Amino acid sequence: MSSTLKSVPNTVTGNKKRLLSQSISLILGLSPLAGGMASAATLLEEVIVTAQKREQKLNDVGVAVTAFTGDQMKALGFESSTDLIAYTPGISLAGDIGGQRAIFNIRGVVQNDYADLAEAPVAVYVDGAYLASTQAQTFGLYDVARIEMLKGPQGTLFGRNATGGLVNSITNKPTDELEGYIEGTVASFSQIRLEGAISGPLGDSVRGRLAFMTNQQDEILDNIYPGVDFNGDGGTAGGEDGYNDDTVALRGHLEFDIGDEGSLLLSANWADTTKSEGPYQLAATTEIRRANGEVIDVIYSIDDPMNCDVIQAGVCIDGNGDGSVTRPVVGGDFFGNVNPDGTGDKVNKDFAFDDQNELESKGISAEFKYDFEWAQLTSLTDYKNFTRVIGLDSDQSATGALIFQSDGDTDQFSQEIRFNGTTDNMVWVAGGYYLSIDTDFIQGLAASPVSQDWFGIRGQEANTITELNTDSFSVFGQFDYSLSDELVLVAGLRLIQENKDFQGVVTFFPNTDDRKIETDNPLFDIDQLEDDNDQDLWSGKIQLEYSPDENSLYYAGINRGVKAGSFNAPLFGGFSPYDEEILLSYEVGAKLTLVGGSLQLNMAAYYYDYKDYQSFTFVNNSSSVTNEDATYTGFEVEMIASPTDAVEVLLGVSYVDAEVEDLQIASDIFINAAPPFTPEWQVSGLVRYTWDVFGGDLTAQLSANYQSEFFHNARNFTAHEFDSYTQAKARLSWSDAENSWNIATYVDNLTDEDNAVIGFDVSGFYGSSQESYARPRSYGLTVRRNF
């Protein structure tokens, strides 16, 4: 939720509050019942955040921040990072591997590059430590104290690739008293989810906490692959069902007191996930080409009355070399495959295994704090490792065409040292930061030795083998200076030196195992590059904040965000560098606490002037990032209200007009394109109603979120646009008076919406696109015991 309400002053006039409460109730269609109602007090819980690297009340921070506490996320039924997106205006979902990797898109700032070399322009932190791998942006929410989502450039204090904003997850820390919980969920698709934690003292000056989470879910997609395709080709002998999950995660903290002024927090985490190959589905598509072969549009094949392989200069041409200019089946791909039931849960593909994709993350950190008379010292030392083994059916069909595979291994180390201090008129923070990232990444396309030789490489695979080493150094500082009791000047600066060393080669190998990417017995190279990219960068902020009273904050500021340049390493070669992107943001906002604390209203409006925006385009199994200029204009409104003691309401609206200027799609065609995965409109709403039942609180909750249409590809072709959708959820929960027992039952995707969420265009290879769809309607029951 966007913000928290301050406590209700005793001087509020009862008649005024009651009148506004009744008015809001009438607007929402609710009756302000009196007797027997319990106090809701979930959405209006006061939230303390560290959005400016110090503890502040959320309403006192002059940044567009959406924050949820752990208790709020449990009450609302959030289980993963993607659940947060639906109820946060201005944030949408991007990703790849059919949604197995989700990426935060804040206000249209996104780079959907699936290579492990790439870092997202929305930074993700856990307990103050940066996550370099984009795979880490998809995380389960277990034993979390709060999540903070900051919109707009945050480069001054957080620095690393926070052009669009950042997501900061803060986990629960050790406690002075013994406490813990155990929670279990059973749900559709045989899902069983367990989590728990235990925390307490281990000695006079030592405390510990241990938490775990495990999630097991059976397959959602029903694969009807018969073992051979229509040509009698045996494919890759896969054909298993897909869209499952097998995850185990552990986290531990040890906290030591160091005298009266210091503390040391040691932390470790590990998570392992096994899933099926990417849960995409086939969508037959047709390229529209000029006479010279340049692609100028892609349409769904069902909309082509001529059923062409490819439409070139207005006539059908042979797109796959089979001697025919039309497709074997109307609405099918080049090989005659069709999606068995449209957007339903049936698929027909050969390379499909329920344990194909494996992801592992692990890390250790040490946070040392010491209070001097003049400032507090914080030192955060962090190490993380991420590994990822991915495979998917590139054509998403029963034909044994090409298999996509990738292996990634990322090591990162960071060290931050900062000081926080205050004077009579100023609050300040200053420090230094070092980050080292070493990434080994391999991706390739393989042709099975048992399949037909569709592309002339039967039994071989072309693998792009890369290594990227990054060293980043920065110093930063920011101060809040009180010009008067009501007016504060905020100014900050970060100076960055970043050095990247890149090595890449594209090599053909014999394909000895369809499920394993090859690195032995190379046959020949077709491309290679060794290069470096040293950059001097800076980000900064200047802002005025005006607080005429304790219930209102107005701010206006200019932010400069920056994301370092890097290297393209596409399939089949074409290595190239791209430049840093620079975002100049102009933003005004207000945070207002109204009606004595029963209404919170947050608003922000912004204009983004983007220079060298890093635009990611995927075309026919290959990808590249190019630098383009762009301009964005948008606004967000979030409201939290409690019209009666028993009712809580959360409403959010966001709008963005985002335009990437003069994006080249042909030799002489340049378009102003919408960035991918960026809907113009997002609307979300949630209503909770609480009764006093059986000595506890019974709460009924109904929520929904709407998202307008958006493109999954930067080129904005016809078949790249996904339709708008609305998803709804219902939840009924009960907790006893002591909050020892919590029981909840829920229905997600209430109307069984089958909206598309992720897509990749491979029309030129197979006459189709890969598309994945939202999880279907599901039911669940959760029981939690706190002790």
Side-chain angles (χ1 to χ4, degrees):
M1 49 202 263
S2 60
S3 190
T4 181
L5 300 182
K6 299 178 182 179
S7 59
V8 181
N10 295 327
T11 57
V12 172
T13 302
N15 290 335
K16 181 180 177 182
K17 180 179 179 183
R18 183 162 53 253
L19 178 60
L20 184 62
S21 296
Q22 291 172 349
S23 300
I24 295 173
S25 298
L26 289 172
I27 292 170
L28 298 171
L30 301 171
S31 299
L33 302 180
M37 296 299 103
S39 176
T42 296
L43 297 178
L44 302 183
E45 176 185 348
E46 183 172 85
V47 182
I48 302 298
V49 298
T50 53
Q52 298 190 105
K53 297 215 169 179
R54 66 180 190 270
E55 290 189 351
Q56 294 174 277
K57 293 179 181 179
L58 186 52
N59 280 1
D60 296 338
V61 179
V63 178
V65 184
T66 294
F68 295 94
T69 67
D71 290 341
Q72 289 167 341
M73 287 184 284
K74 286 300 177 186
L76 300 177
F78 294 167
E79 287 189 356
S80 72
S81 55
T82 56
D83 292 330
L84 302 170
I85 294 173
Y87 300 97
T88 307
I91 301 184
S92 56
L93 173 70
D96 66 299
I97 318 300
Q100 289 182 0
R101 175 164 60 177
I103 299 174
F104 289 94
N105 175 0
I106 298 183
R107 296 175 172 176
V109 180
V110 66
Q111 183 184 310
N112 197 42
D113 194 343
Y114 55 85
D116 286 357
L117 299 175
E119 296 176 70
V122 173
V124 176
Y125 287 76
V126 173
D127 290 334
Y130 174 68
L131 306 181
S133 172
T134 53
Q135 85 175 46
Q137 294 201 9
T138 310
F139 51 84
L141 300 177
Y142 76 101
D143 200 36
V144 172
R146 68 181 180 277
I147 303 286
E148 303 172 7
M149 290 167 283
L150 285 63
K151 305 168 191 176
Q154 306 298 324
T156 304
L157 290 180
F158 289 89
R160 185 66 191 174
N161 293 341
T163 316
L166 68 91
V167 178
N168 191 15
S169 174
I170 295 91
T171 65
N172 284 318
K173 302 304 187 296
T175 54
D176 292 324
E177 303 293 332
L178 180 65
E179 67 171 39
Y181 72 91
I182 186 74
E183 177 181 294
T185 297
V186 292
S188 304
F189 311 110
S190 302
Q191 181 185 8
I192 298 177
R193 187 181 190 276
L194 297 172
E195 69 167 276
I198 186 169
S199 176
L202 301 176
D204 291 340
S205 59
V206 183
R207 297 163 296 281
R209 189 177 189 96
L210 182 65
F212 79 94
M213 185 272 287
T214 176
N215 186 59
Q216 314 292 318
Q217 178 209 289
D218 286 351
E219 292 73 26
I220 294 175
L221 295 180
D222 177 19
N223 195 349
I224 63 172
Y225 177 65
V228 293
D229 68 11
F230 70 99
N231 289 310
D233 180 6
T236 58
E240 297 179 4
D241 296 339
Y243 201 169
N244 59 356
D245 184 45
D246 181 357
T247 296
V248 178
L250 294 171
R251 184 190 306 120
H253 298 294
L254 279 175
E255 188 173 39
F256 302 85
D257 292 332
I258 300 178
D260 295 332
E261 307 297 336
S263 66
L264 175 65
L265 177 68
L266 303 179
S267 304
N269 67 276
W270 170 82
D272 182 82
T273 295
T274 300
K275 296 177 182 281
S276 67
E277 61 92 32
Y280 288 112
Q281 300 193 43
L282 179 149
T285 50
T286 303
E287 287 187 337
I288 311 295
R289 300 178 184 172
R290 288 174 155 182
N292 64 2
E294 290 182 331
V295 179
I296 57 173
D297 199 5
V298 174
I299 64 172
Y300 284 111
S301 297
I302 198 68
D303 296 325
D304 171 21
M306 298 183 294
N307 192 41
C308 300
D309 276 0
V310 174
I311 301 174
Q312 186 162 331
V315 299
C316 292
I317 67 166
D318 185 358
N320 61 344
D322 67 352
S324 171
V325 299
T326 59
R327 299 176 184 237
V329 177
V330 175
D333 67 3
F334 285 161
F335 314 109
N337 299 291
V338 296
N339 191 311
D341 62 350
T343 59
D345 61 3
K346 291 187 183 300
V347 294
N348 183 13
K349 49 187 177 181
D350 59 333
F351 186 82
F353 301 89
D354 63 12
D355 61 348
Q356 175 63 39
N357 295 345
E358 299 178 10
L359 304 91
E360 184 182 37
S361 61
K362 53 193 173 186
I364 56 174
S365 66
E367 184 180 48
F368 172 72
K369 292 184 177 182
Y370 196 87
D371 289 328
F372 297 98
E373 290 185 3
W374 55 277
Q376 181 189 63
L377 164 68
T378 301
S379 170
L380 179 58
T381 307
D382 181 76
Y383 167 80
K384 289 182 172 63
N385 173 261
F386 304 95
T387 59
R388 194 169 72 119
V389 177
I390 297 296
L392 63 84
D393 193 339
S394 181
D395 54 284
Q396 295 299 309
S397 78
T399 300
L402 294 176
I403 303 160
F404 172 81
Q405 301 165 317
S406 73
D407 286 6
D409 190 325
T410 301
D411 278 308
Q412 67 169 85
F413 171 82
S414 64
Q415 173 66 57
E416 179 173 281
I417 296 177
R418 70 175 185 270
F419 292 90
N420 291 74
T422 60
T423 66
D424 291 340
N425 297 315
M426 186 169 61
V427 179
W428 60 271
V429 58
Y433 181 74
Y434 168 71
L435 174 68
S436 171
I437 309 170
D438 295 330
T439 301
D440 295 317
F441 177 62
I442 307 173
Q443 63 172 336
L445 288 175
S448 176
V450 299
S451 299
Q452 295 191 43
D453 197 10
W454 295 103
F455 296 94
I457 58 170
R458 180 177 181 177
Q460 297 181 14
E461 56 188 71
N463 295 331
T464 302
I465 304 171
T466 56
E467 180 179 346
L468 180 66
N469 299 319
T470 300
D471 288 300
S472 181
F473 308 84
S474 61
V475 292
F476 61 91
Q478 180 170 305
F479 65 82
D480 297 15
Y481 183 79
S482 297
L483 300 174
S484 69
D485 291 342
E486 295 83 19
L487 190 63
V488 174
L489 170 67
V490 181
L493 179 67
R494 190 180 196 102
L495 303 177
I496 308 160
Q497 182 185 60
E498 184 146 321
N499 306 316
K500 292 180 182 289
D501 292 317
F502 174 83
Q503 296 181 37
V505 61
V506 180
T507 304
F508 272 80
F509 295 87
N511 178 20
T512 61
D513 186 344
D514 283 338
R515 300 185 63 185
K516 175 186 176 183
I517 196 165
E518 302 290 345
T519 56
D520 296 327
N521 305 313
L523 300 175
F524 55 90
D525 299 340
I526 62 172
D527 191 18
Q528 61 181 345
L529 176 70
E530 185 171 346
D531 199 359
D532 58 53
N533 188 353
D534 297 340
Q535 304 161 76
D536 293 320
L537 312 169
W538 68 275
S539 58
K541 174 179 183 175
I542 186 165
Q543 181 165 298
L544 285 174
E545 299 178 359
Y546 177 64
S547 300
D549 53 61
E550 64 176 5
N551 294 319
S552 57
L553 169 65
Y554 304 89
Y555 62 90
I558 302 173
N559 256 295
R560 186 184 196 270
V562 63
K563 179 176 182 288
S566 193
F567 294 89
N568 287 305
L571 295 163
F572 296 119
F575 299 115
S576 62
Y578 55 87
D579 294 334
E580 71 271 14
E581 64 176 16
I582 299 170
L583 173 57
L584 198 59
S585 166
Y586 303 86
E587 181 168 344
V588 295
K591 297 184 177 184
L592 308 176
T593 303
L594 306 172
V595 200
S598 57
L599 177 64
Q600 176 68 40
L601 186 64
N602 294 337
M603 300 170 288
Y606 57 90
Y607 173 77
Y608 284 178
D609 183 2
Y610 234 133
K611 180 182 178 182
D612 291 333
Y613 163 68
Q614 295 173 358
S615 176
F616 173 79
T617 303
F618 184 89
V619 181
N620 290 330
N621 273 326
S622 191
S623 61
S624 64
V625 174
T626 58
N627 292 107
E628 316 291 342
D629 290 339
T631 56
Y632 296 4
T633 304
F635 68 84
E636 297 142 3
V637 179
E638 297 178 287
M639 185 199 79
I640 310 164
S642 181
T644 75
D645 288 341
V647 176
E648 291 182 293
V649 180
L650 173 65
L651 294 175
V653 178
S654 66
Y655 169 81
V656 59
D657 178 14
E659 196 171 82
V660 180
E661 300 170 357
D662 297 328
L663 180 70
Q664 184 173 12
I665 60 172
S667 58
D668 62 345
I669 297 180
F670 297 81
I671 64 170
N672 291 335
F677 302 100
T678 304
E680 279 193 343
W681 287 98
Q682 291 174 273
V683 182
S684 60
L686 182 148
V687 179
R688 292 168 55 83
Y689 196 88
T690 303
W691 297 266
D692 187 354
V693 176
F694 303 126
D697 291 342
L698 179 67
T699 300
Q701 176 179 303
L702 182 64
S703 60
N705 66 285
Y706 164 82
Q707 189 167 284
S708 63
E709 61 274 1
F710 62 92
F711 294 95
H712 66 74
N713 192 295
R715 296 191 296 171
N716 286 193
F717 290 157
T718 301
H720 296 161
E721 186 175 41
F722 285 159
D723 291 337
S724 62
Y725 67 86
T726 301
Q727 274 208 13
K729 298 181 179 182
R731 184 178 181 87
L732 185 67
S733 59
W734 178 85
S735 61
D736 64 3
E738 292 77 27
N739 197 33
S740 296
W741 287 97
N742 302 104
I743 303 171
T745 183
Y746 62 87
V747 183
D748 288 343
N749 196 357
L750 195 61
T751 59
D752 204 21
E753 183 86 5
D754 58 357
N755 56 284
V757 290
I758 305 292
F760 282 89
D761 182 0
V762 288
S763 303
F765 265 62
Y766 318 115
S768 63
S769 287
Q770 309 164 4
E771 295 184 356
S772 63
Y773 300 89
R775 181 186 170 108
R777 180 170 51 224
S778 58
Y779 310 82
L781 173 69
T782 299
V783 178
R784 179 183 176 107
R785 176 70 167 96
N786 298 314
F787 58 85

